[in-house]
């Protein structure tokens, strides 16, 4: 996986700064609460939701166990349908493949469907380095791009912006990327959507190359699937002469029948809809219908390493619905930028450290960016036990060492010895109770704990002494 966002500190520092921004917190609170309540109503409509959730989990687990077989099947099907398959081991290789494909067309502009995979590898920046302009066509992604910003949510990348901020971005920046915003633009949603529509329509009609990701790939037919709500994806997938899709290898499903499960659970969990307004599917190329050339770039970029972890691999079940973000109390207060990755929230806290490793401070801090309340697991449509993976990854990070973890290990060893020696434990309890008024409220070296918590007040005597006096 490509590097962290430039200049991002570890999660605790970034989150502390975000929490101090009242506008950001108000934007996040309003948006996440609205989405979570709508999702709950949509899910409640299905009596068999629990069965669909279990089916999705089992399909994904079976696919991951035999991923090599299904990917080879997918490659054969795509090739037979007139497409070309490319394999990319990492971000650099994927960027080189896509850049070379675009340059071969002679074009210097591309239109893009919203894609987490292309953000993950930094494709826009790689294309720009070669003189190729990539235009985001999803409304929220357009806002982020025009504002020279970073996405902060999987489903709604501009969730941290309010309508007034979006109006100002369109008014000030849109002309530099193409058609300017209309005169007298207001912050009414309809006016903002119309400004984006007029701006993007010119891009759709002139672009010869489209770039997409995919929500799913069906191995038995070589079909790719994109679900979206605005129609921009349909335009990008059908109008250009060349279509390049960059997709993580975990997005494959074996059969059409398997796809049926996810087309019920994904819309309800993401946009709280019974069905996405636009579900686009394409299989290779067809004469006089859609792009004349189709390229599929299958992206590893750390996924094989994650697959080897028997506990952590369940993160690869993720269908990018973002339901876990909308119920997470940490995400609601800190926002997506604090995670330093295109994958924020609970799923980002377990996926990013597996794709990128935990060598950097921010990646090592992500497994701790959670209260372990379990709300994320309860809403996940493929039953990823995010708290389990968080604890698992914390163990890995602690095993790497470092100042804080060395102190922690020393404290655990001391506690282990003390608990193994009841007489010493009893003496320690009596001493702690007798000196309780002299204990500092913030013991030296415990700042990471006491900065956000109050130490419990010691009782006058231990439970052991109380029991001896009252129950002996």
């Amino acid at each position: 996986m490509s590097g962290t966002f430039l200049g991002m500190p570890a999660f605790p520092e970034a989150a502390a700064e975000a929490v101090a921004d009242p506008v950001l917190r108000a934007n996040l609170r309003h948006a996440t609460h609205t989405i979570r309540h709508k999702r709950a109503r949509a899910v409640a409509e299905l009596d068999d939701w629990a069965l669909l959730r279990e089916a999705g989990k089992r399909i994904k687990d079976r696919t991951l166990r035999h991923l090599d077989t299904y990917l080879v099947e997918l490659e054969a099907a795509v090739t037979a349908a007139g497409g070309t398959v490319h394999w990319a081991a990492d971000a650099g290789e994927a960027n080189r493949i896509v850049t070379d494909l675009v340059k071969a067309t002679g074009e210097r502009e591309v239109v893009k469907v919203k894609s987490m995979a292309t953000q993950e590898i930094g494709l826009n920046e790689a294309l720009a380095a070669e003189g190729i302009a990539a235009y985001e066509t999803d409304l929220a992604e357009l806002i982020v791009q025009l504002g020279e910003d970073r996405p902060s949510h999987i489903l709604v990348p501009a969730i941290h912006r309010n309508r007034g901020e979006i109006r100002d971005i369109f008014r000030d920046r849109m002309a530099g990327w193409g058609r300017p915003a209309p005169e007298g633009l207001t912050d009414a949603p309809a006016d903002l959507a119309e400004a984006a529509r007029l701006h993007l329509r010119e891009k759709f009609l002139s672009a010869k190359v489209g770039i997409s990701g995919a929500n799913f790939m069906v191995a038995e037919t070589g079909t790719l699937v994109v679900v979206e709500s605005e129609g921009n994806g349909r335009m990008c997938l059908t109008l250009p002469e060349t279509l390049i899709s960059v997709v993580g290898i975990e997005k494959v499903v074996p059969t059409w029948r398997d796809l049926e499960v996810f087309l019920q659970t994904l819309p309800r969990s993401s946009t709280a809809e019974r069905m996405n307004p636009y579900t686009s599917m394409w299989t290779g190329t067809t004469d006089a219908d859609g792009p004349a050339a189709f390229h599929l770039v299958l992206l590893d970029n750390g996924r094989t390493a994650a697959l080897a972890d028997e506990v952590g691999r369940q993160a690869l079940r993720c269908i990018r619905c973002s339901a876990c973000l909308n119920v997470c109390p940490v995400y609601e207060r800190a926002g997506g930028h604090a995670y330093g990755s295109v994958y924020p929230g609970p799923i980002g806290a377990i996926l990013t450290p597996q794709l990128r490793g935990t060598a950097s401070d921010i990646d090592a801090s992500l497994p701790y960016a959670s209260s372990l309340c379990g709300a994320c697991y309860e809403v996940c449509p493929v039953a990823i036990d995010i708290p389990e993976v968080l604890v698992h990854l914390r163990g890995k990070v602690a095993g790497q060492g470092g100042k804080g973890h060395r102190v922690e290990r020393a404290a655990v060893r001391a506690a282990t010895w003390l608990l193994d020696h009841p007489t010493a434990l009893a003496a320690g309890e009596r001493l702690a109770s007798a000196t309780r008024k002299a204990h500092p409220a913030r013991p030296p070296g415990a700042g990471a704990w006491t900065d956000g918590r109050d130490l419990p007040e010691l009782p006058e005597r231990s439970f052991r002494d109380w029991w001896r006096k009252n129950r002996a």
Side-chain angles (χ1 to χ4, degrees), residues 185-403:
L185 179 65
T186 74
D187 64 358
D191 290 347
L192 296 173
E194 178 66 5
R197 188 188 71 83
L198 294 173
H199 177 82
L200 291 172
R201 185 55 60 97
E202 292 184 354
K203 305 298 184 188
F204 291 136
L205 296 178
S206 62
K208 298 294 190 293
V209 180
I211 295 178
S212 81
N215 294 96
F216 306 101
M217 303 179 290
V218 183
E220 69 175 347
T221 60
T223 302
L224 273 70
V225 183
V226 163
V227 296
E228 40 112 8
S229 300
E230 299 171 16
N232 63 296
R234 182 70 56 83
M235 302 284 274
C236 290
L237 296 168
T238 56
L239 293 179
E241 297 172 0
T242 300
L243 175 60
I244 305 167
S245 298
V246 182
V247 190
I249 56 176
E250 81 281 14
K251 294 297 187 72
V252 66
V253 295
T255 68
W256 277 94
R257 188 168 186 173
D258 297 323
L259 182 64
E260 175 194 359
V261 172
F262 301 111
L263 291 184
Q264 295 183 73
T265 56
L266 177 57
R268 284 179 164 83
S269 286
S270 57
T271 56
E273 296 169 299
R274 298 181 180 91
M275 181 176 180
N276 289 93
Y278 294 89
T279 301
S280 299
M281 304 180 181
W282 68 100
T283 307
T285 60
T286 303
D287 292 339
D289 182 16
F294 169 57
H295 297 270
L296 171 59
V297 181
L298 291 171
L299 177 69
D300 187 328
N301 206 34
R303 287 159 174 80
T304 299
L307 188 62
D309 187 325
E310 293 185 2
V311 177
R313 73 171 58 152
Q314 58 184 297
L316 297 178
R317 291 185 207 145
C318 179
I319 57 176
R320 308 293 191 267
C321 70
S322 76
C324 62
L325 280 69
N326 299 323
V327 298
C328 177
V330 177
Y331 175 85
E332 180 187 326
R333 289 157 178 80
H337 291 161
Y339 294 82
S341 166
V342 297
Y343 301 112
I347 187 61
I350 65 170
L351 183 60
T352 300
Q354 294 192 82
L355 297 183
R356 291 198 307 215
T358 54
S360 71
D361 288 344
I362 189 166
D363 292 325
S365 71
L366 289 179
Y368 298 88
S370 169
S371 66
L372 299 180
C373 68
C376 49
Y377 171 65
E378 294 299 324
V379 299
C380 178
V382 287
I384 301 171
D385 194 340
I386 293 178
E388 178 189 30
V389 183
L390 286 167
V391 173
H392 172 67
L393 293 176
R394 289 180 185 186
K396 284 191 169 186
V397 172
Q400 295 175 176
K403 181 180 178 182

Side-chain angles (χ1 to χ4, degrees), residues 35-55:
I35 297 171
R36 82 168 70 154
H37 293 321
K38 290 175 61 179
R39 176 202 171 274
R41 290 195 297 269
V43 167
E45 293 179 351
L46 295 181
D47 294 334
D48 61 346
W49 177 260
L51 295 176
L52 285 169
R53 185 177 188 243
E54 180 64 20

